[in-house]
Amino acid sequence: MNQVIKVRASSWGSLFNCAYSWEGVHLLGIKSPSGPRALLGTAIHAGTAAFDTARVNGAPIDATEAAEQMLQELRFPEYDVDWRGADITPKQAERTGLALLSLYCTEVSPRYEFVAVEMETKPMLIDCGDGITIQLTGTLDRARIRKENDRIGISDVKTGGAAVVMGVAKTAPHRAQIGTYELLFEHTSGIAITAPADIIGLRTKGAPEYGIGEITGARDLMVGTEDYPGLIQIGAQMFRSGLFPPNPQAHTCSQQYCPRWSSCPYHA
């Protein structure tokens, strides 16, 4: 019997952080309340997306109007948020979000010529063998498609307390996700990605700060080369076997980040 497993493109990178946790969340449906820091990131993304979408549509808005979208998301989330024991209050979250959104709207977004924001994609089928097929679905979450000198590239907004280090956005954790986005964009549009990807980091702890980091070779990381297999090939082995290895050394291996943590036998 053939089995088609739907996988959101934005989740692919976390498969290689801790596959056991990824299986729990994305295949078994184990959920836990979101934290305030995650909500803050979601709200900032809503504000930046509103600002950039308006630019792409030829009807630009200012940072104040984008802030309304961000505050709406922050104050009235559509999912449970656990503020107990949080290291940030709702008011602090609002101040941080507004400061970062202002930086983004005035200093970051104007540097780019975006042609699409969080683009919808066509499902992409990946044959894993043994009757197992992965169907990559979804939007290019939090990503923009940009044009520079007739080349197309991905720009992806990332938030977090350590999203920016010494003035540069962290890129290493995001290469697999970017590679998936590049594949899906090419699959959907028929246009090749030829420009490097940019990670636009917005730091949510400490003084508000943004940084930009560049990623090259993300597509090859996914599909492989003559010298090494791609992450798609390696991931296909997990789906084919049904074995999703744990990673007790993952930075997200804690009750705060992993809804499977309380029943996981592999962490310390």
Side-chain angles (χ1 to χ4, degrees):
M1 176 183 291
N2 293 331
Q3 182 181 8
V4 178
I5 302 172
K6 291 185 178 181
V7 175
R8 289 190 61 83
S10 58
S11 78
W12 189 267
S14 61
L15 173 63
F16 297 93
N17 176 53
C18 177
Y20 189 74
S21 176
W22 184 94
E23 179 196 27
V25 173
H26 298 285
L27 297 187
L28 303 180
I30 302 173
K31 305 294 183 183
S32 61
S34 182
R37 289 287 177 182
L39 173 62
L40 174 58
T42 298
I44 292 171
H45 284 293
T48 59
F51 185 82
D52 289 337
T53 298
R55 285 188 60 209
V56 169
N57 291 339
I61 61 176
D62 60 24
T64 300
E65 293 172 281
E68 294 176 4
Q69 184 68 39
M70 188 204 74
L71 291 174
Q72 178 72 17
E73 188 75 33
L74 196 57
R75 294 170 178 173
F76 307 103
E78 296 181 354
Y79 48 85
D80 292 334
V81 178
D82 187 359
W83 288 89
R84 294 173 300 177
D87 64 349
I88 191 171
T89 67
K91 287 297 183 183
Q92 289 171 333
E94 288 188 11
R95 288 197 295 269
T96 298
L98 290 170
L100 286 171
L101 183 61
S102 178
L103 277 176
Y104 181 86
C105 294
T106 58
E107 299 186 28
V108 180
S109 181
R111 301 170 57 162
Y112 293 99
E113 180 186 355
F114 295 131
V115 296
V117 179
E118 299 187 345
M119 172 182 158
E120 289 284 347
T121 62
K122 293 193 304 184
M124 181 177 178
L125 299 178
I126 300 172
D127 185 0
C128 299
D130 294 344
I132 302 295
T133 300
I134 298 171
Q135 184 184 71
L136 287 180
T137 64
T139 62
L140 303 189
D141 292 342
R142 303 179 178 181
R144 288 93 167 104
I145 308 301
R146 73 178 191 279
K147 185 177 182 181
E148 53 180 54
N149 299 324
D150 295 323
R151 299 193 302 164
I152 297 294
I154 303 284
S155 293
D156 199 10
V157 177
K158 297 295 184 185
T159 60
V164 179
V165 178
M166 299 182 66
V168 179
K170 290 176 66 174
T171 59
H174 311 304
R175 289 185 70 215
Q177 184 180 20
I178 290 296
T180 307
Y181 284 176
E182 291 181 348
L183 289 173
L184 275 176
F185 174 81
E186 293 178 352
H187 174 70
T188 300
S189 68
I191 301 172
I193 294 283
T194 55
D198 276 354
I199 298 297
I200 302 170
L202 301 174
R203 191 177 69 182
T204 56
K205 283 189 178 181
E209 181 183 11
Y210 76 86
I212 297 173
E214 186 177 282
I215 292 178
T216 59
R219 185 183 186 281
D220 287 346
L221 179 71
M222 297 304 296
V223 301
T225 68
E226 293 180 354
D227 299 319
Y228 59 84
L231 292 181
I232 287 178
Q233 181 179 346
I234 296 171
Q237 294 180 354
M238 296 187 209
F239 285 93
R240 190 166 57 246
S241 68
L243 294 175
F244 294 86
N247 178 14
Q249 293 185 318
H251 71 281
T252 54
C253 186
S254 72
Q255 192 167 9
Q256 178 182 0
Y257 295 109
C258 178
R260 205 174 188 180
W261 193 87
S262 61
S263 61
C264 174
Y266 302 108
H267 61 72

